Amino acid sequence: MGAVKNKRMPRAVREQQMLDAAVHTFGQRGYRAASMDEIAELAGVSKPLVYLYLNSKEDLFTACIRREAKALTAAVRAGVRPGLPADRQLWDGLTAFFTHTAQNPDAWSVLHLQARTHGEPFAAEVTAMREEIVAFVTQLIVVAARAAHRNPSLPEREVAGLAEALVGAAESLAAWANTAPGVSAKQAAATLMNFAWAGLGDLMEGRPWAPSA
Amino acid sequence: MGAVKNKRMPRAVREQQMLDAAVHTFGQRGYRAASMDEIAELAGVSKPLVYLYLNSKEDLFTACIRREAKALTAAVRAGVRPGLPADRQLWDGLTAFFTHTAQNPDAWSVLHLQARTHGEPFAAEVTAMREEIVAFVTQLIVVAARAAHRNPSLPEREVAGLAEALVGAAESLAAWANTAPGVSAKQAAATLMNFAWAGLGDLMEGRPWAPSA
Amino acid sequence: MGAVKNKRMPRAVREQQMLDAAVHTFGQRGYRAASMDEIAELAGVSKPLVYLYLNSKEDLFTACIRREAKALTAAVRAGVRPGLPADRQLWDGLTAFFTHTAQNPDAWSVLHLQARTHGEPFAAEVTAMREEIVAFVTQLIVVAARAAHRNPSLPEREVAGLAEALVGAAESLAAWANTAPGVSAKQAAATLMNFAWAGLGDLMEGRPWAPSA
Amino acid sequence: MGAVKNKRMPRAVREQQMLDAAVHTFGQRGYRAASMDEIAELAGVSKPLVYLYLNSKEDLFTACIRREAKALTAAVRAGVRPGLPADRQLWDGLTAFFTHTAQNPDAWSVLHLQARTHGEPFAAEVTAMREEIVAFVTQLIVVAARAAHRNPSLPEREVAGLAEALVGAAESLAAWANTAPGVSAKQAAATLMNFAWAGLGDLMEGRPWAPSA
DNA sequence: TATGAATGAGTCTTCATTCAT
DNA sequence: GATGAATGAAGACTCATTCAT
């Protein structure tokens, strides 16, 4: 933070500095409470330069959301090996997800809280990202269901709901893992896999889910 | 909206009108973006009266959160019969929860989104309510686990994580049920019970959870 | 203060309670910063009653000034015996003045500070009172000068200036006596008589003024 | 007034223009009654600029007090030659004082009336300045008393009271000199020297004080 | 005699945004 | 590539004052 005032840097670099500052400020204060003054100062530049590069507060916020949404989905994708069994893919994806959100709390605040709190230009950006993830999870469930042979046709809406629930639980656990002291990404992922894959019923019968590899 | 200007009402009534207007406006716009002018107009009173009765924007927001938190927990409590088996209690509670949030979308927005987005006076109010709910769910899980005999000692942190995941999934599904057209409270509750109680693994084996009564 | 809410009192009494509260509030806060709300509450009545009896904030303030000006001049007049020598009259007047201001600090604040700080309806009220006092002192000086024979004709403007200086010094010492701990009215009066009657020159020669009786 | 709108001036210059406008407005209306709008307009700038440079109404008022206190003490100091006899120093100081206050009536109103009328951030500023002046006068009296040999030990509190009375008389005469038509600074100073140094007693005996050079 | 209910108008303050260099 | 100077517009909050009872 408080970046040293390096004069005359190439535009691309300056822009990233500004986005860093903006993500931090938006994440901490929220969209409305964050002031362009504060962002400019944190980025170590003058306000007119922020406007020259990023155009407006709205555009700046949108740019933050896009960059961080891309970063998050990239992190999750990078954690998953497509060939492996569905539950393993899910486990890997969740681990990557919890790791990334723990390491980028401001970014996660922007995506999960701030962007959804303010009307339409922004919510849509996040919705797009979320849909991508839900689609990924949905497909995992479908594949797994087919592999299990027995119940080939979980109705589509049902699957959509399940994926939604799983993602929602993950989002919620991200906040929990960041707050409760000493909860690691792996622990959060394990908790969720137990919950989602085995189900409370199985758990209580003494049949938890366990990573296959 | 634009309530008819009934002059000279007793204070208690006016206050509820103001809270109605405030919940609506905060729910739609967010805390910062909502203006006291707008709230006063929607309530059909002048701004000074809002300040006279509710003191400040912060206090007004807090009053909204408190009222709606109380209403939500009351609705859930009213839906649950303590004597019944744990899964039935959970099902009833979820149904009440999805019904209430669907009928009070602005209130739910205030509690779930707006209050958490802004710093400490507010977040704490919601956290209190949420902890009450998580405690309720936690205890249901513990009771159910004991009843199942087989796994008498799910570790405490594990249970906490599971309850957290369940509540998080419910919160997330509330938004989904309100957005996706034609998803009823019962459907949302059923989806979640399947997910949480049976688990994806069982579901795919063709063993869904079903309400016991 | 915090007067017990005695309902249904005769108008004259209520008015005095209101003026008491107003003098206190105006004296502490100043004209603009004092609010009618605070005054009404301190007086133990509702605001409309204050307006019914005293009309407006301006009128209320004016009424305060008038009452307290009258009280102060009355106190000074009551302290002076017309037959006595001029310096004795002055000494008695000053003692009465310092005593009264010490016992009514809010009233003195209203007269000396608050009333003069705000434009014309008010300043004039105080000016009138002040002129009365200055005239009294002027006449004392003229009488004393005549009695001394030697300098029968102090020019008129000179005398006006001297009276002005004496009164100004007294006003200033009133604040000092109220602030500096343990300075009594008599001490303040003695200091001023020395200063004014004997003069620094005489004092330094070892010739202080002393009360003649 | 209504300064020509010179756009784009360096900050230091603009700040002085703002302080000029503020001293005028505060001096005329008082702290509370002066509006930032009026000050900004008189300064020929927009309100946000005033806030950008001077921070808040409180800070602006404090800045006025400080600037004018400094200017007044500087003017008095500049009028006095340390080597000369005490009465001559006093005479020179008073002349400088009356001259300065006559030429800067708004500044004098701010220092003498407005600042003292409003609570603690402000009164302290003036008190500091006043104490400096009282200390200067006190020391003059002490020096003169020593030089006169005869009464080497005027008690300390006595001297403090005398200095207080002298300064109070001067402050009071400043208003008188500004109000009564045709009273010059020299005349005011002469009146006060007669009053203070010779004393009414001597005056009436035909022994006025006269400047020694 | 006395008040609970209500408001028009104004004040301080902040913020996103631009111009001129 | 970069900034010091400047503002229109809006928002939270307060206050003197009145109406209906």
Side-chain angles (χ1 to χ4, degrees), chain D residues 132-204:
Chain D
E132 194 186 326
I133 297 186
V134 169
F136 170 65
V137 172
T138 301
Q139 163 247 355
L140 281 187
I141 297 178
V142 169
V143 167
R146 257 186 224 130
H149 284 294
R150 309 266 182 98
N151 190 10
S153 59
L154 276 171
E156 206 178 314
R157 155 157 303 167
E158 186 70 17
V159 175
L162 293 169
E164 190 71 32
L166 178 48
V167 171
E171 289 171 346
S172 193
L173 279 188
W176 175 69
N178 281 352
T179 306
V183 175
S184 72
K186 292 231 142 139
Q187 284 167 325
T191 297
L192 189 46
M193 282 307 289
N194 264 326
F195 178 69
W197 211 260
L200 292 173
D202 283 7
L203 283 178
M204 291 174 308

Side-chain angles (χ1 to χ4, degrees), chain C:
Chain C
M1 335 233 152
V4 181
K5 269 197 186 181
N6 285 331
K7 304 243 163 180
R8 310 257 145 196
M9 329 230 335
R11 170 159 182 163
V13 177
R14 270 278 194 262
E15 267 187 28
Q16 290 309 311
Q17 291 178 345
M18 290 175 191
L19 288 177
D20 290 345
V23 167
H24 181 74
T25 309
F26 285 135
Q28 295 288 327
R29 303 234 186 292
Y31 176 61
R32 294 280 308 214
S35 86
M36 296 298 272
D37 267 300
E38 193 179 354
I39 293 171
E41 184 176 30
L42 186 58
V45 284
S46 70
K47 245 186 314 174
L49 199 60
V50 178
Y51 278 88
L52 188 61
Y53 285 177
L54 275 316
N55 230 4
S56 74
K57 197 186 187 184
E58 259 194 74
D59 285 3
L60 174 57
F61 193 42
T62 306
C64 288
I65 297 173
R66 283 207 182 123
R67 188 182 81 167
E68 297 308 331
K70 216 167 272 177
L72 176 54
T73 52
V76 171
R77 244 195 307 272
V80 175
R81 223 82 45 78
L84 303 184
D87 61 342
R88 178 55 198 257
Q89 285 193 50
L90 190 52
W91 157 261
D92 286 335
L94 287 171
T95 305
F97 172 78
F98 288 124
T99 303
H100 185 87
T101 54
Q103 281 167 353
N104 302 276
D106 290 327
W108 177 239
S109 165
V110 165
L111 291 175
H112 183 51
L113 283 181
Q114 312 305 341
R116 324 191 90 151
T117 330
H118 300 97
E120 245 335 291
F122 314 125
E125 297 289 334
V126 180
T127 301
M129 172 197 73
R130 205 176 189 274
E131 268 164 9
E132 194 186 325
I133 296 185
V134 170
F136 169 64
V137 171
T138 302
Q139 163 246 354
L140 280 188
I141 297 177
V142 169
V143 166
R146 260 188 221 127
H149 284 297
R150 309 266 182 97
N151 191 9
S153 61
L154 275 171
E156 203 178 317
R157 154 157 306 165
E158 186 71 15
V159 174
L162 292 170
E164 189 71 35
L166 178 49
V167 170
E171 289 170 345
S172 192
L173 279 188
W176 175 70
N178 280 351
T179 305
V183 175
S184 71
K186 293 232 139 134
Q187 284 168 326
T191 296
L192 188 46
M193 282 308 290
N194 262 326
F195 179 70
W197 211 261
L200 292 174
D202 282 6
L203 283 179
M204 291 174 305
E205 307 278 333
R207 277 178 279 136
W209 172 88
S212 56

Side-chain angles (χ1 to χ4, degrees), chain D residues 50-61:
Chain D
V50 179
Y51 278 89
L52 189 61
Y53 286 176
L54 274 314
N55 238 357
S56 73
K57 198 183 187 185
E58 257 195 75
D59 284 5
L60 174 56
F61 193 43

Side-chain angles (χ1 to χ4, degrees), chain B residues 8-9 25 46 50 70 86 93-94 130 139 143 154-155 159-160 165 170 175 196 204 210:
Chain B
R8 301 264 139 193
M9 332 233 330
T25 310
S46 70
V50 179
K70 216 167 272 177
L94 287 172
R130 202 174 192 275
Q139 164 246 354
V143 166
L154 276 171
V159 174
M204 291 173 306

Side-chain angles (χ1 to χ4, degrees), chain D residues 66-116:
Chain D
R66 283 209 181 120
R67 188 181 82 166
E68 297 307 332
K70 216 167 270 177
L72 175 53
T73 53
V76 171
R77 243 196 306 272
V80 175
R81 223 79 48 75
L84 303 183
D87 61 340
R88 177 56 195 257
Q89 285 192 50
L90 190 53
W91 156 261
D92 286 336
L94 288 171
T95 305
F97 173 78
F98 289 123
T99 303
H100 185 87
T101 54
Q103 282 167 353
N104 302 277
D106 290 327
W108 177 240
S109 164
V110 166
L111 291 175
H112 183 52
L113 282 182
Q114 314 303 344
R116 324 192 90 150

